[in-house]
Structures are given as C-alpha cells and as structure tokens.
Amino acid sequence: MTAERTRALQERFGNALMPTYGVPPVAIARGEGARVWDVDGRPYLDLIGGIAVSALGHGHPALVKAVADQTAALAHTSNLFLHEREVELAERLIALLGDPGARVFLANSGTEANEAALKLARKAAGPARPVLVATENGFHGRSLGALAVTGKESMRAPFGPYGTEVRFVPHGDAGALRAAVDDTVAAVIVEPVQGEAGVVPAPDGYLAAVREICDAAGAAFVLDEIQSGIGRTGHWFAHQAQGVRPDVLTLAKGLGGGLPIGACVGFGRYATAFAKGDHGSTFGGNPVAAAAALAVLDTVENEDLLGSAARTGAALAEGMRATGHPLVAGVRGTGLWLALVLTAERAAEVQARAADHGFLINAVAPDALRLAPPLTLTPEQAASFTGALPAILDEVNP
Ligand SMILES: *Cc1c(COP(=O)(O)O)cnc(C)c1O
C-alpha cells in the first residue's frame, strides 16, 4: 500500500504549522473503537488513545449523540449565562469524589486546570507564602504558570524567568519534600504517577506523605490527575486507591473523551478560595464539552470500564512481560496506563516498527514506550499486540 496521501499531507503540515511537534509519522483519517485508519487506508490498533484522552475509543455512539444533540440545542453560552450541562458535570464530579463540600472550576485543557489550581492556591495562601514546590521530571503544561512548575528542564529553561520561586524535589522522595516545604510555600504540585516522564509511579505511601507534609506546613496539596484520572488506572481517580485526598485536584485528558475540557476541583477551604471575578474562561464549561464529559462518565459507569481497564490492563502488562524478549526490561504502570521499559534506548525505533505492524504506541522516553489505549480496548485487541510484540522487537534488536 502506498503512503502517498500521508506524504502529501505531511508536506502541507510542514509548510503551514509551526514546527512544535516535528512532522508526525502517521496521518489519521478516522477511527472506530480502538481502531484507526490513516489517510492511505492503512489500519492501526490505537494503543495510545490521543495520549490517554480517547477513553471511549473513537466514534462511541454515546459521545457522538451527546455532542450532536448538545450542538444542535445550544453550543455556547459564555459565562454570562449558566446552562444545565456544566451544573450536572460539576455535580457528577463532586459525587464521584465523595465530598459534597467540593467545588469545581471548568476549563478547556489540562494546562488551564493547573493554572486555575496555582492561582487558587496563591489566593488562599496570601502574599506571605509565594513559593511553589514541584517535582523533577514532572509535567504540568506549557503556559508560563504551568511551565514554571514543570520539572522537565529542557521544556522549562528556554522560557524563563517565571517570576515565581519554584523548588524542585525528586518525585517519590518524601524526605526531600519535607525539607523543601516551609511556611513560605503556597502549594505542592505532584502527579500520582509521572505520565510524561514515562509512566513512573511513586513508592506506596508517597501521596500520604505529601498529605501529611502539606498539613504540617499549611500548604495546599495540588494533585495533577490530568493523565491518571477518569478510570485510567482502574479507579475513577488514582488517589482513591491510596486513601488520600488532595486539597486541589486537576483533571482533563480522558474527561472529555476527545472534546477539550479541564476541571479544577477545590476541597475544604480551597472550595471557596476564589471569589467572584478571580478567575474565568470564555469557553470553560462549554455546553458541548460538558455534554461530552457527561457521556464519558455515564459510559465508564454503564460499561464497567473501570473493571475493564483493570482486567485488560493487567493482561496487557502480563503479555508484554511474558515475551521474555532481551529488549524488554519490564513494565511499569497500572490499568490501561503502562510503559514498556526497554533494556536499551531504542524506543523511537520500536514505535516506528510497531506502526509498520499496525500498532500505535508512544516512545515517551528514550527507553520506554507508553500505552494509554481506549478504556474500551478488548482483551482480544490487547492480545493481538502482545502476540505481535516479539516480532516487532526482533526487527529492532535482531
Ligand atoms: C497532558 C498533561 C497536562 C497538560 O494538559 P493539556 O491539556 O495538554 O494542557 C498537565 N499535566 C499532566 C499530568 C498531563 O499529563
């Protein structure tokens, strides 16, 4: 099969878009469930799901109907007016989080959810506590505020200074965190598992230690569940498995199932730290995006996608481990959020060979491939990948 259309589109992409993403290797035309087809008609199993976004897969009837019906009825109001979908969505999130005192701010992306969280923490802390604490290799977004707390030096360094004191500590190191958090700190922001760093979990008990350290210092515990939330790990939210509640929680990615939406949830005094006029967004809580998010939450519940994520994820992880291939060092992660860790820095080649075999996976680090497929991935689809994996790896490491 030729790649003529892909090549033509890549050339136009290169001539029209800023080069922030390089030129992506695959041009996707359409999708159905966990399968997608490129513009030349080649099929792929989508094991990355738009980076943990396409929770229901592609073209799920519940999402299609919710978006179509809402667009026809009312696509936009701005926040000069309220509408029912945003209220329903906030109520649903509060119910899933099990705290009737929580309050929600709706945004359009993960970055914006984190901006809201940082502003919220600053507002609650007051001017005497301006410092933020974040983790090395962490990722929180690309705006100046979210980037200031992003621990990836290569992303952050070219855009400073940020006008904010940020202390970076190793992820998972409670001792280093304790030493960094004093009474000048407004907030600590962490991910339960570092997604962009390569699906790197913290040791058990880390979130409980963050909770305790923040409580002792009076700092806000901001938990970024933008990638880990909405069923990815087999729980609605990763922190629920640890029995720890943050002060501020941020969500996006899987929440909209492909429509852009983010949420910042405040608990306790952080529920009400913003006053009228403190924050806003023209599109935030948009009726169409909110309807999509409600369809995602309904479908996760109706189709037991938490159970599927846990079971299919375990089978996928086990299948990858069981290859026993010399290039496989191990598998990190839980649920349908995994990293295949290699014994050599050859993830980019594995990603390319996997695409040749019809599997989309993501070289998230030089030695790790990330899988974050639709939560609707079937066990048969998972097995088709683990079955093909030895041949893919052989092509890289003969
Ligand atoms: C993707 C991501 C973000 C940024 O979200 P955008 O929607 O790209 O702005 C922030 N934090 C984490 C943990 C993410 O995975």
Side-chain angles (χ1 to χ4, degrees):
M1 206 176 290
T2 88
E4 205 177 311
R5 285 164 195 252
T6 298
R7 276 199 296 272
L9 201 54
Q10 285 172 326
E11 192 178 331
R12 287 168 57 202
F13 181 100
N15 289 332
L17 287 123
M18 289 191 188
T20 50
Y21 308 108
V23 177
V26 178
I28 299 177
R30 65 190 177 90
E32 192 182 312
R35 300 195 308 153
V36 296
W37 287 263
D38 72 13
V39 293
D40 288 297
R42 287 175 298 200
Y44 301 87
L45 184 64
D46 179 7
L47 293 170
I48 185 61
I51 315 185
V53 166
S54 304
L56 307 185
H58 303 279
H60 193 290
L63 188 68
V64 172
K65 184 171 184 344
V67 168
D69 288 355
Q70 187 59 50
T71 305
L74 180 71
H76 181 74
T77 59
S78 87
N79 297 297
L80 299 175
F81 309 99
L82 64 77
H83 59 87
E84 194 167 358
R85 294 293 90 77
E86 67 180 345
V87 178
E88 274 180 52
L89 177 58
E91 288 171 346
R92 284 291 295 280
L93 291 173
I94 290 168
L96 290 173
L97 288 159
D99 182 345
R103 292 291 180 271
V104 179
F105 177 84
L106 294 171
N108 308 291
S109 67
T111 299
E112 289 181 27
N114 281 336
E115 289 291 332
L118 297 175
K119 280 183 66 178
L120 184 66
R122 275 269 172 91
K123 180 85 193 303
R129 309 183 63 127
V131 178
L132 302 171
V133 176
T135 59
E136 291 166 8
N137 290 320
F139 181 75
H140 301 293
R142 306 289 201 137
S143 64
L144 288 174
L147 193 54
V149 292
T150 284
K152 291 183 161 229
E153 184 69 22
S154 60
M155 289 181 185
R156 195 180 68 248
F159 302 100
Y162 296 94
T164 294
E165 187 188 336
V166 183
R167 297 176 189 158
F168 288 98
V169 294
H171 186 239
D173 183 340
L177 185 65
R178 197 179 309 275
V181 179
D182 55 28
D183 64 5
T184 66
V185 170
V188 174
I189 182 166
V190 299
E191 299 158 82
V193 172
Q194 288 188 322
E196 296 307 303
V199 194
V200 183
D204 275 350
Y206 181 62
L207 293 189
V210 178
R211 176 72 279 167
E212 183 253 305
I213 291 163
C214 287
D215 283 344
F221 173 7
V222 179
L223 188 64
D224 180 340
E225 289 231 37
I226 287 164
Q227 195 160 152
S228 58
I230 318 294
R232 195 49 44 202
T233 62
H235 305 273
W236 278 109
F237 308 100
H239 72 269
Q240 291 176 328
Q242 312 250 340
V244 174
R245 200 208 65 185
D247 296 311
V248 183
L249 175 72
T250 54
L251 302 169
K253 289 204 165 86
L255 178 60
L259 275 283
I261 188 164
C264 170
V265 185
F267 301 89
R269 72 187 183 103
Y270 297 93
T272 51
F274 273 154
K276 185 176 174 184
D278 277 342
H279 200 47
S281 165
T282 300
F283 293 119
N286 168 281
V288 179
L294 286 164
V296 168
L297 300 180
D298 283 343
T299 306
V300 168
E301 212 158 81
N302 296 341
E303 298 186 5
D304 183 29
L305 296 183
L306 300 183
S308 298
R311 285 188 302 273
T312 311
L316 190 54
E318 187 42 43
M320 290 194 289
R321 281 191 195 99
T323 58
H325 195 280
L327 203 48
V328 174
V331 177
R332 288 193 293 252
T334 45
L336 282 170
W337 195 32
L338 301 167
L340 173 65
V341 186
L342 305 180
T343 52
E345 299 201 333
R346 305 189 68 177
E349 293 159 79
V350 174
Q351 175 188 304
R353 296 292 79 77
D356 292 344
H357 285 253
F359 299 97
L360 300 182
I361 57 177
N362 162 239
V364 67
D367 68 343
L369 292 131
R370 173 171 48 183
L371 282 73
L375 304 182
T376 54
L377 187 80
T378 66
E380 295 73 24
Q381 287 170 330
S384 74
F385 173 66
T386 53
L389 186 57
I392 293 167
L393 297 173
D394 279 346
E395 286 180 17
V396 174
N397 189 32

